[in-house]
């Protein structure tokens, strides 16, 4: 089967495995979104697969997106676009100058990277889209981080995979933890849960309590929650009123550590521990930070004897940036 078939027919369910390290008095499982087999995987690859269908459907010849050129999102979009034989144009805030492995990859994929001050992003995008249209091109624009209904839908599928796993192996996850950034992942997981539970209710199947906890990697609680809630409303449409409940949305900024990209020595130690005991690489901006945040949350809330699922959302190239920063020992 050809690689591109991954996008045509949808991706296979990612593995869920029990972890062997001792991370607290619970059973810990991990869902490996980082193992989606395209461009180092991750939730951005899952979202990209949804955008692929839309790009094909509208016959676009240039794919545009917004984001830091060192982001996982821009890497995947630039890679996928190259594989499709289309042009890629990235609008990037000039405040971000970090040269990471993702930046190099984006360059290698031949994407055009246009930088502008963060205050001029929307005008720059509008101007550039217009210019392509004037030149007879057909641009397709993807919001930063793969935000929007296709991205939310992709992550609702992640939840469906979790529900199928629970049914198949007769296990119930009391908690699902994950790194929350632009909010599409959390919006998808929560929407997926509400839809699956509604279906179970209709079929008179029991619905057990389960908490999805988004660990913010940058945003404060107020803004973070509102963006996730809005995405859930956009995605569920008419079903929003009947399905959505405030208490389903748990978003904590208690482990932000001062904002995007910031982390502590404890995060670094946790990343080493997980790599040593489970052989799973984690980056310090998203996954390692959230995994450490989960450990703190579990301790603070005295959670014991439960089944906990952690969603590994990807970011593998950033793991190597972290190794570079740590230097050789
Ligand atoms: C983007 C990203 C996230 C956050 O996902 P959102 O859908 O933006 O909330 C988490 N982990 C990794 C590795 C990411 O690249």
């Amino acid at each position: 089967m050809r690689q591109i078939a991954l996008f045509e027919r949808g991706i296979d369910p990612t593995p869920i495995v029990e972890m062997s390290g001792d991370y607290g008095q619970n059973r810990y499982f991990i869902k490996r979104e980082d193992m989606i087999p395209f461009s180092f995987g991750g939730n951005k690859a899952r979202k990209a697969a949804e955008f692929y269908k839309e790009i094909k459907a509208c016959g676009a010849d240039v794919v545009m997106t917004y984001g830091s050129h060192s982001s996982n999102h821009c890497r995947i979009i630039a890679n996928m676009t190259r594989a499709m034989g289309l042009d890629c144009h990235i609008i990037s805030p000039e405040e971000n100058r970090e040269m990471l492995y993702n930046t190099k990859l984006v360059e290698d994929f031949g994407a055009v990277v246009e930088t502008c001050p963060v205050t001029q992003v929307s005008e720059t995008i509008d101007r550039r889209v217009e210019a392509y249209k004037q030149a007879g091109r057909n641009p397709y624009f993807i919001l930063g981080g793969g935000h929007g209904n296709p991205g939310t839908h992709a992550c609702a599928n992640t939840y469906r995979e979790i529900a199928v796993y629970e049914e198949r192996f007769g296990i119930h996850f009391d908690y699902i933890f994950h790194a929350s950034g632009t909010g599409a992942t959390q919006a998808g997981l929560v929407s997926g849960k509400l839809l699956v539970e509604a279906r179970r209710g209709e079929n008179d199947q029991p619905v057990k309590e389960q908490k999805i906890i988004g660990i913010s990697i940058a945003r404060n609680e107020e803004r973070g929650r509102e963006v996730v809630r809005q995405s859930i409303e956009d995605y569920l449409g008419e079903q929003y009123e009947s399905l959505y409940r405030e208490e389903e949305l748990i978003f904590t900024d208690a482990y932000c550590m001062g904002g995007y990209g910031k982390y502590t020595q404890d995060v670094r130690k946790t990343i080493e521990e997980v790599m040593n005991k489970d052989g799973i690489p984690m980056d310090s901006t998203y996954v390692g930070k959230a995994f450490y945040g989960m450990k703190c949350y579990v301790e603070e809330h005295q959670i014991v004897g439960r089944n906990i699922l952690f969603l590994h959302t990807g970011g593998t190239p950033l793991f190597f940036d972290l190794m570079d920063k740590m230097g050789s020992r």
Side-chain angles (χ1 to χ4, degrees):
M1 187 176 49
R2 295 200 303 156
Q3 180 64 35
I4 211 75
L6 182 75
F7 297 117
E8 300 283 358
R9 99 194 129 95
I11 60 165
D12 292 325
T14 55
I16 294 179
V17 289
E18 184 163 0
M19 301 181 81
S20 31
D22 178 17
Y23 307 109
Q25 298 165 45
N26 296 284
R27 286 178 78 187
Y28 289 87
F29 295 76
I30 189 163
K31 182 165 173 63
R32 303 289 305 275
E33 296 285 274
D34 59 318
M35 287 180 59
I36 292 171
F38 183 79
S39 200
F40 303 102
N43 62 354
K44 303 306 184 301
R46 189 181 276 275
K47 295 181 201 179
E50 283 306 311
F51 287 106
Y52 173 91
K53 293 180 204 157
E54 307 241 323
I55 294 164
K56 277 282 194 196
C58 74
D61 58 4
V62 51
V63 175
M64 301 180 64
T65 194
Y66 166 71
S68 157
H69 45 66
S70 60
S71 66
N72 298 315
H73 169 67
C74 288
R75 178 191 79 248
I76 303 266
I77 297 303
N79 201 163
M80 181 177 79
T81 308
R82 182 68 184 263
M84 293 169 81
L86 305 177
D87 291 332
C88 183
H89 189 121
I90 291 168
I91 315 269
S92 212
E94 68 184 10
E95 286 78 3
N96 182 294
R97 285 172 207 279
E98 239 184 334
M99 279 290 283
L100 304 179
Y101 286 111
N102 280 335
T103 326
K104 293 175 193 160
L105 286 164
V106 165
E107 235 168 60
D108 287 348
F109 301 139
V112 173
V113 177
E114 178 178 7
T115 54
C116 70
V118 76
T119 50
Q120 286 166 30
V121 166
S122 63
E123 298 119 83
T124 309
I125 292 170
D126 291 347
R127 197 169 349 106
R128 192 55 65 190
V129 168
E130 208 36 55
Y132 273 120
K133 285 185 182 158
Q134 288 293 324
R137 306 286 302 268
N138 183 9
Y140 180 90
F141 187 80
I142 301 173
L143 287 175
H147 206 68
N149 279 344
T152 307
H153 179 66
C155 300
N157 285 338
T158 306
Y159 186 83
R160 290 190 185 93
E161 290 179 11
I162 294 169
V164 166
Y165 181 93
E166 288 182 309
E167 280 165 25
R168 183 156 158 222
F169 293 100
I171 188 165
H172 172 70
F173 296 120
D174 302 294
Y175 293 87
I176 299 171
F177 285 89
H178 68 96
S180 203
T182 66
T185 299
Q186 188 160 13
L189 291 175
V190 172
S191 300
K193 176 177 189 277
L194 295 174
L195 292 166
V196 166
E197 288 182 350
R199 193 203 64 214
R200 284 182 182 155
E202 279 164 21
N203 297 338
D204 293 323
Q205 286 168 317
V207 174
K208 291 190 202 155
E209 180 167 332
Q210 180 179 66
K211 290 194 165 85
I212 297 173
I213 300 175
I215 307 282
S216 175
I217 52 91
R219 283 182 182 158
N220 69 32
E221 240 160 78
E222 201 185 337
R223 168 154 160 73
R225 271 186 71 86
E226 178 48 25
V227 176
V228 176
R229 194 206 55 75
Q230 185 63 54
S231 302
I232 295 172
E233 186 174 348
D234 291 346
Y235 178 63
L236 290 180
E238 334 189 299
Q239 286 175 285
Y240 174 78
E241 284 298 326
S242 60
L243 294 185
Y244 181 70
R245 294 180 304 274
E246 270 298 297
E247 64 269 23
E248 293 289 343
L249 180 43
I250 307 172
F251 177 95
T252 172
D253 63 6
Y255 318 102
C256 265
M257 301 168 193
Y260 184 83
K262 305 258 170 56
Y263 61 94
T264 60
Q265 283 304 306
D266 287 334
V267 171
R268 209 180 53 73
K269 277 195 213 123
T270 299
I271 291 171
E272 264 177 31
E273 185 188 0
V274 174
M275 190 64 187
N276 281 314
K277 293 187 180 151
D278 282 289
I280 300 171
M282 292 182 170
D283 75 290
S284 56
T285 302
Y286 297 102
V287 179
K289 186 165 166 174
F291 193 85
Y292 173 73
M294 171 187 75
K295 285 209 313 184
C296 297
Y297 188 100
V298 163
E299 216 176 283
E300 283 158 26
H301 291 77
Q302 298 173 355
I303 298 167
V304 291
R306 301 295 182 145
N307 294 326
I308 297 180
L309 179 71
F310 181 81
L311 190 68
H312 191 315
T313 40
T316 302
L318 299 172
F319 170 80
F320 292 102
D321 291 304
L322 178 66
M323 289 200 71
D324 282 356
K325 265 180 228 150
M326 293 189 322
S328 52
R329 279 180 293 177

